[in-house]
Amino acid sequence: MADLKHEINRRRTFAIISHPDAGKTTLTEKLLLYGGAIQQAGAVKGKAAARHAVSDWMELEKQRGISITSSVMQFEYEGYCINILDTPGHQDFSEDTYRTLMAADSAVMVIDAAKGIEPQTRKLFRICAMRHIPIFTFINKLDRDARSPYDLMEELENEFGIGTYPMNWPIGSGVDFKGVYDRENRQILAFREFHRGQDRISAIACSLEDTDTLDGLIGEKLRTALCDDVELLDGAGYEFDLDAVRAGKLSPVFFGSALNNFGVEPFLESFLRMTMSPLPRTAGDEIVDPFEDSFSAFVFKIQANMNKAHRDRIAFMRICSGKFERDREYYHVQGGKALRLAQPQQLMASERAVIDEAYAGDIIGVFDPGIFSIGDTVCEKSHKVTFEGIPTFAPEHFAAVERTDTMKRKQFEKGIQQIAQEGAIQIFHEPNTGMEEVIVGVVGVLQFEVLEYRLKTEYGVDVRRRPLPYEVIRWIDNEEIDIAALNLTSDTKWVQDFRGNDLLLFASPWNVNWALNKNPDLRLREFNRE
Ligand code: G4P
């Protein structure tokens, strides 16, 4: 058992969140480089692939590659076993991006130093905050002109309502970028031209008191400014509070340049020291301890294969406790059946491998003949638990979808329901109407194209899609309320999801406020937890 404890204890599972172009791919790549998982920069599936997400989706082989590569990357670093969860972010931003955050124990938020918080960072942050997971901030691209670090920190505090603690402090930016001051070790890490283009190189360290050397490294002007800043930061009296970090209330902030590999290794080392091994998870009244002997996991993502001959899928599971062994029989709680998980796979950097064992904190992808749904639990038959379901997140784009061939009603209904069950889309309908026309909601617009493609290739149904002008959806939280009698703007629509929950579709956030003001008893929710 010492082995089990040791293995789980050294695991760190986190997601990197960012707005497109802030540097997530670059940072991931440098982290893998330190882990020795890849030999050279450029090995991580980059934006070129993401830009072609639509066409990739439509090619079976590439699709298989994507489903695995874009899910998790595992590597070793100084005794730690690190799982980085990828949060699809460009055109392929979807509900999966949110769900992935359910599988992480902490998040790294990458921010472009010139831009600060951007819309996608905002959306992803909210999901992390909902779970109270620790959030680390990497402010990137200091080698380009950047906003004032004070401004950036203030923006984070004001917008996100969290505390920030700069772990290091930038010295200049853009062409004047000279490095960072490491507050814990009280030394300068100097940025030199030779950092550019190098894969792995240490920074030059120098104490703040060593004025002569410092002047040689960063110049007198920047040294004076830095000394003032450091005095101000130290005098501000904010104590570093690890408990607040772990509760998601205080975000340690690191400045650096992922592209130049500057500040990445110190970041990784602090990050690993501050984060925790896999966290306990709630399952009804029980708190499942990751170090328990018995295996348990939940499904957070289902990736359909585009092979229409077999409607097979891959279900991604986050292991929550114990050890997974390939040939053992486990229990699928929602299906009420014992099963062996077929072809369990894991990704080691860019290699995909069938695995024999995995531990709490790890993510495995298993072959799914169509039995799993998002949020399902798999565990030992002798110790059954049911993890809390994964919330349904509010879609942001809506369209009315109907079939063009009146003969294909059954195929249309079956297809659209199955695709919704996988969690790729959400479907709604007006109360007391059939499925002639279905309202489809998605988090990312690419999902509309995927839906059309799949209905055609897998179910033989052509559809017509009409965009709907709604922007905001809210679940009605009241147990009893006469929805038909609510005072709503004429462009607000009452719909139901396929579980029969009532929702309202609004044209804008303004209409939501209007509805809440005019109907004081109305309670609305942004996501739905089944
Ligand atoms: P993303 O995954 O968050 O979308 O961002 P990605 O890492 O792809 O980075 C976006 C662009 O920003 C890339 O340039 C990348 O090289 C650049 N970048 C990342 N980190 C830094 C940094 O620290 N400093 C500077 N100056 N640039 C940085 P690109 O030209 O759009 O793409 P590519 O052709 O280099 O792949």
Side-chain angles (χ1 to χ4, degrees):
M1 277 312 101
D3 192 34
L4 178 82
K5 277 219 157 50
H6 172 73
E7 281 300 334
I8 298 175
N9 207 21
R10 71 191 194 92
R11 274 165 164 77
R12 296 291 182 277
T13 304
F14 65 97
I16 306 188
I17 61 174
S18 74
H19 190 82
D21 274 352
K24 180 169 66 95
T25 311
T26 313
L27 182 66
T28 307
E29 190 172 278
K30 301 299 178 196
L31 293 174
L32 292 177
L33 206 61
Y34 282 113
I38 54 171
Q39 299 308 316
Q40 60 185 40
V44 178
K45 173 190 79 86
K47 286 200 312 186
R51 278 194 190 118
H52 297 117
V54 182
S55 51
D56 282 355
W57 234 97
M58 294 170 186
E59 286 176 54
L60 174 65
E61 288 309 316
K62 280 190 192 162
Q63 165 53 26
R64 284 201 170 134
I66 284 183
S67 67
I68 301 289
T69 43
S70 62
S71 294
V72 65
M73 281 163 274
Q74 188 180 65
F75 68 97
E76 300 266 336
Y77 179 79
E78 296 193 347
Y80 290 97
C81 176
I82 300 167
N83 293 304
I84 304 186
L85 292 160
D86 188 44
T87 49
H90 292 80
Q91 293 169 36
D92 47 353
F93 188 80
S94 69
E95 220 179 322
D96 274 346
T97 313
Y98 293 147
R99 290 188 192 119
T100 299
L101 295 176
M102 299 293 131
D105 294 319
S106 61
V108 173
M109 174 162 71
V110 183
I111 287 186
D112 183 327
K115 296 187 177 149
I117 299 173
E118 294 177 86
Q120 203 158 293
T121 338
R122 213 168 268 131
K123 288 182 195 168
L124 294 166
F125 176 88
R126 278 168 54 204
I127 310 287
C128 296
M130 177 184 95
R131 293 196 48 224
H132 308 289
I133 57 174
I135 299 173
F136 296 78
T137 308
F138 188 87
I139 300 192
N140 192 27
K141 304 197 188 182
L142 264 295
D143 61 316
R144 295 234 183 113
D145 287 342
R147 284 170 49 187
S148 135
Y150 291 108
D151 263 14
L152 290 163
M153 305 232 315
E154 197 176 296
E155 185 175 70
L156 287 170
E157 299 209 345
N158 292 345
E159 271 219 37
F160 291 160
I162 44 164
T164 54
Y165 187 92
M167 302 301 294
N168 62 23
W169 195 251
I171 307 165
S173 73
V175 287
D176 285 334
F177 182 54
K178 299 293 183 201
V180 294
Y181 171 68
D182 170 349
R183 294 184 68 200
E184 189 183 355
N185 298 311
R186 306 197 69 77
Q187 63 181 14
I188 304 287
L189 299 177
F191 176 76
R192 310 306 271 170
E193 272 310 302
F194 57 66
H195 283 111
R196 298 182 201 272
Q198 295 285 333
D199 280 340
R200 190 177 172 161
I201 196 151
S202 301
I204 302 164
C206 168
S207 136
L208 204 56
E209 280 75 45
D210 187 353
T211 315
D212 290 343
T213 318
L214 209 52
D215 281 354
L217 284 172
I218 67 175
E220 195 186 339
K221 194 167 151 233
L222 282 172
R223 176 184 48 87
T224 322
L226 175 69
C227 289
D228 290 349
D229 282 348
V230 170
E231 202 177 320
L232 202 69
L233 291 172
D234 289 349
Y238 287 120
E239 290 292 313
F240 179 75
D241 178 352
L242 188 57
D243 290 337
V245 172
R246 291 182 169 174
K249 291 184 181 142
L250 180 71
S251 180
V253 179
F254 300 80
F255 293 86
S257 167
L259 184 65
N260 294 300
N261 207 1
F262 186 81
V264 177
E265 195 167 23
F267 161 74
L268 178 61
E269 283 177 357
S270 306
F271 171 80
L272 291 171
R273 264 189 289 120
M274 285 187 254
T275 45
M276 293 159 290
S277 51
L279 299 172
R281 299 258 168 176
T282 314
D285 297 334
E286 199 178 332
I287 304 284
V288 177
D289 177 0
F291 294 96
E292 250 172 44
D293 293 343
S294 60
F295 165 84
S296 66
F298 70 88
V299 176
F300 66 93
K301 171 171 163 171
I302 293 174
Q303 183 82 57
N305 252 334
M306 296 304 287
N307 187 341
K308 63 178 169 180
H310 330 252
R311 291 207 182 115
D312 57 345
R313 325 189 282 193
I314 295 172
F316 290 94
M317 295 181 190
R318 150 83 199 221
I319 304 178
C320 298
S321 67
K323 175 180 178 182
F324 164 79
E325 285 166 276
R326 184 175 164 185
D327 293 322
R328 282 193 54 188
E329 195 173 75
Y330 294 108
Y331 185 74
H332 174 214
V333 175
Q334 283 74 8
K337 282 206 179 83
L339 48 79
R340 267 175 232 281
L341 300 173
Q343 300 169 20
Q345 295 160 359
Q346 220 170 21
L347 188 88
M348 322 287 278
S350 47
E351 304 268 308
R352 161 183 170 180
V354 172
I355 48 148
D356 293 323
E357 55 182 50
Y359 294 87
D362 289 342
I363 309 298
I364 53 173
V366 300
F367 171 78
D368 170 22
I371 57 172
F372 294 117
S373 291
I374 303 277
D376 282 5
T377 302
V378 176
C379 58
E380 313 254 355
K381 199 166 183 187
S382 56
H383 183 180
K384 289 182 198 154
V385 292
T386 310
F387 289 106
E388 268 180 10
I390 290 185
T392 308
F393 300 98
E396 291 169 32
H397 307 275
F398 299 88
V401 176
E402 61 180 341
R403 62 189 193 279
T404 50
D405 181 347
T406 48
M407 303 295 287
K408 300 255 172 100
R409 187 176 62 86
K410 270 208 175 123
Q411 291 93 317
F412 173 70
E413 290 184 4
K414 185 168 171 219
I416 210 157
Q417 274 168 347
Q418 282 192 347
I419 295 168
Q421 185 217 339
E422 282 168 20
I425 56 164
Q426 290 182 45
I427 52 176
F428 309 96
H429 58 89
E430 289 188 58
N432 314 318
T433 63
M435 286 192 56
E436 282 310 307
E437 187 180 73
V438 176
I439 297 174
V440 176
V442 295
V443 167
V445 281
L446 175 69
Q447 298 304 319
F448 283 135
E449 283 169 50
V450 170
L451 170 70
E452 282 173 5
Y453 177 79
R454 292 190 55 194
L455 282 174
K456 189 175 172 65
T457 52
E458 293 175 36
Y459 301 88
V461 185
D462 281 305
V463 293
R464 209 178 355 248
R465 165 159 61 103
R466 185 164 48 85
L468 295 173
Y470 304 108
E471 268 184 19
V472 189
I473 191 166
R474 292 287 180 266
W475 277 265
I476 297 179
D477 208 14
N478 306 67
E479 295 265 309
E480 277 177 30
I481 192 162
D482 183 356
I483 302 172
L486 287 173
N487 184 356
L488 302 166
T489 48
S490 61
D491 53 1
T492 300
K493 198 193 233 345
W494 168 26
V495 295
Q496 290 176 331
D497 63 18
F498 67 104
R499 294 190 178 98
N501 296 313
D502 292 301
L503 303 100
L504 294 174
L505 291 174
F506 297 96
S508 75
W510 182 89
N511 301 63
V512 182
N513 286 336
W514 200 90
L516 289 170
N517 286 336
K518 299 284 176 189
N519 306 277
D521 293 336
L522 180 64
R523 287 198 312 275
L524 299 173
R525 261 178 302 129
E526 241 182 272
F527 59 85
N528 194 40
R529 201 181 267 283
E530 283 304 319

